[in-house]
C-alpha cells in the first residue's frame, strides 16, 4: 500500500521567506499523478500543482513543484500573507484510489 | 464560471444515513467525474469515491464500499452522495470536487458540507 508522508508537519516562516515542503511516497509513484493543494482556514482545498510540476490556472509563479519517484517538493518563494495555509499532496494509485498526505501547516513565525 | 454548490450542514444520530447534494454549473456536467473527499476536524483529507458522469460508474475507497451510494441527476446537474450506518467517526466536512477524466487532479471544489454524528 502506498503511503504519502509530508514533512514538516508545521513550518514557521515569515513573509518574504522561501518555503520548502516535502511529500515522500512509500513506493515509487508516477509524476503525472502527483498533485498539491492549498487549503486556507475555513475554505475548501484549491488545486495548486498537478503532474508534479505544472501550475494550475491562476496560480502565481512563486509556487513551483518538483521531484520524481518517491520524493516530491513544493517550493514557495517570497511568501505572501495569503500563502500561510495547509498544503496537501495527493497521489492516485490504481489499487487504492486517491491517497493524501497528512498535510503541512505553513504558519507565520 | 465553474461552481459546485453543496447542501447544508446535517446533524445525524449513529446508525442513520445522510445524503449530501452537489449542484454543478458552468461546465458540461457529464464530461467530468465527481469526486467525494472528507476531512475530520483538524485532520487530513480522505478520499471516499467518485461517480464517473461519463458512464455512471461508481468507484469507492475500500473502507466505504458497503456504506456509500453515489447517484446523479442530469436534469439538474446534481450529484448525490449517501453514507449509511453513520458512526461518530464519520463526523467531518464532506467535499465534492470535479475531475476531468484521467487527469488525476481535482480542479474545482464545493464549499463543503459539515456532517455531525452524535447521539
Amino acid at each position: 500500500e502506498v503511503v504519502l508522508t509530508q514533512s514538516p508537519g508545521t513550518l514557521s516562516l515569515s513573509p518574504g521567506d522561501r518555503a520548502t515542503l516535502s511529500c515522500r511516497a512509500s513506493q515509487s509513484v508516477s509524476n503525472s499523478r502527483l498533485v498539491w493543494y492549498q487549503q486556507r482556514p475555513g475554505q475548501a482545498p484549491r488545486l495548486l500543482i498537478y503532474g508534479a510540476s505544472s501550475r494550475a490556472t491562476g496560480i502565481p509563479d512563486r509556487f513551483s513543484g518538483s521531484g520524481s519517484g518517491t520524493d516530491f517538493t513544493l517550493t514557495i518563494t517570497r511568501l505572501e500573507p495569503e500563502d500561510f495555509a495547509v498544503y496537501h499532496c495527493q497521489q492516485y494509485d490504481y489499487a487504492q484510489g486517491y491517497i493524501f498526505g497528512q498535510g503541512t501547516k505553513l504558519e507565520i513565525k | 464560471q465553474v461552481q459546485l454548490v453543496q447542501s447544508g450542514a446535517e446533524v445525524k444520530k449513529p446508525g442513520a444515513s445522510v445524503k449530501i447534494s452537489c449542484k454543478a454549473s458552468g461546465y458540461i456536467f457529464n464530461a467530468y467525474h465527481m469526486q467525494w473527499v472528507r476531512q475530520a476536524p483538524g485532520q487530513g483529507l480522505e478520499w471516499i469515491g467518485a461517480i464517473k458522469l461519463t458512464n455512471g460508474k461508481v468507484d469507492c475507497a475500500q473502507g466505504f464500499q458497503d456504506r456509500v451510494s453515489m447517484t446523479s441527476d442530469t436534469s439538474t446537474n446534481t450529484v448525490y452522495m449517501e453514507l449509511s450506518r453513520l458512526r461518530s467517526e464519520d463526523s467531518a466536512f464532506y467535499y465534492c470536487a470535479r475531475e476531468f477524466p484521467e487527469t488525476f487532479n481535482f480542479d474545482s471544489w464545493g464549499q463543503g458540507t459539515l456532517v455531525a454524528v452524535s447521539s
Side-chain angles (χ1 to χ4, degrees):
Chain A
E1 153 176 318
V2 177
V3 176
L4 297 180
T5 301
Q6 291 187 242
S7 61
T10 302
L11 184 57
S12 300
L13 294 170
S14 300
D17 286 350
R18 177 189 185 97
T20 303
L21 287 68
S22 172
C23 177
R24 178 163 290 176
S26 57
Q27 56 188 268
S28 185
V29 298
S30 167
N31 281 27
S32 67
R33 302 195 295 264
L34 195 286
V35 177
W36 290 93
Y37 298 94
Q38 176 193 67
Q39 186 176 26
R40 293 171 175 152
Q43 296 187 15
R46 175 174 76 139
L47 177 64
L48 277 183
I49 301 286
Y50 63 93
S53 60
S54 298
R55 274 188 302 277
T57 303
I59 301 302
D61 61 6
R62 64 180 183 273
F63 290 89
S64 65
S66 63
S68 64
T70 59
D71 290 300
F72 297 88
T73 300
L74 174 69
T75 302
I76 314 169
T77 58
R78 304 180 310 278
L79 283 166
E80 298 284 345
E82 62 267 25
D83 298 337
F84 291 90
V86 177
Y87 292 84
H88 306 274
C89 62
Q90 176 202 56
Q91 170 65 222
Y92 180 78
D93 178 79
Y94 283 98
Q96 296 171 242
Y98 287 96
I99 306 151
F100 291 92
Q102 81 279 18
T104 289
K105 181 180 181 180
L106 178 56
E107 66 175 23
I108 299 177
K109 188 173 181 180
Chain B
Q1 75 282 20
V2 174
Q3 273 197 303
L4 300 176
V5 179
Q6 298 183 224
S7 49
E10 302 266 10
V11 179
K12 295 291 182 182
K13 293 195 181 302
S17 297
V18 67
K19 191 171 186 178
I20 303 168
S21 66
C22 172
K23 183 174 176 58
S25 61
Y27 69 95
I28 299 172
F29 179 68
N30 59 8
Y32 286 75
H33 301 336
M34 193 69 79
Q35 304 282 347
W36 289 90
V37 175
R38 75 179 184 180
Q39 185 175 37
Q43 302 300 308
L45 302 171
E46 180 181 22
W47 181 66
I48 298 170
I51 181 166
K52 299 182 178 183
L53 296 167
T54 52
N55 60 15
K57 182 181 174 189
V58 173
D59 189 20
C60 286
Q62 196 164 13
F64 293 98
Q65 283 171 356
D66 61 343
R67 292 201 295 143
V68 162
S69 170
M70 296 181 188
T71 56
S72 65
D73 181 347
T74 54
S75 69
T76 60
N77 287 359
T78 303
V79 171
Y80 300 89
M81 193 276 297
E82 184 170 22
L83 185 62
S84 62
R85 303 195 301 279
L86 289 168
R87 13 188 210 254
S88 58
E89 311 89 89
D90 294 317
S91 296
F93 276 94
Y94 288 75
Y95 295 99
C96 60
R98 182 186 82 156
E99 180 210 356
F100 191 76
E102 307 308 313
T103 57
F104 307 108
N105 66 80
F106 307 165
D107 67 352
S108 289
W109 293 65
Q111 84 277 19
T113 296
L114 178 61
V115 174
V117 182
S118 173
S119 54

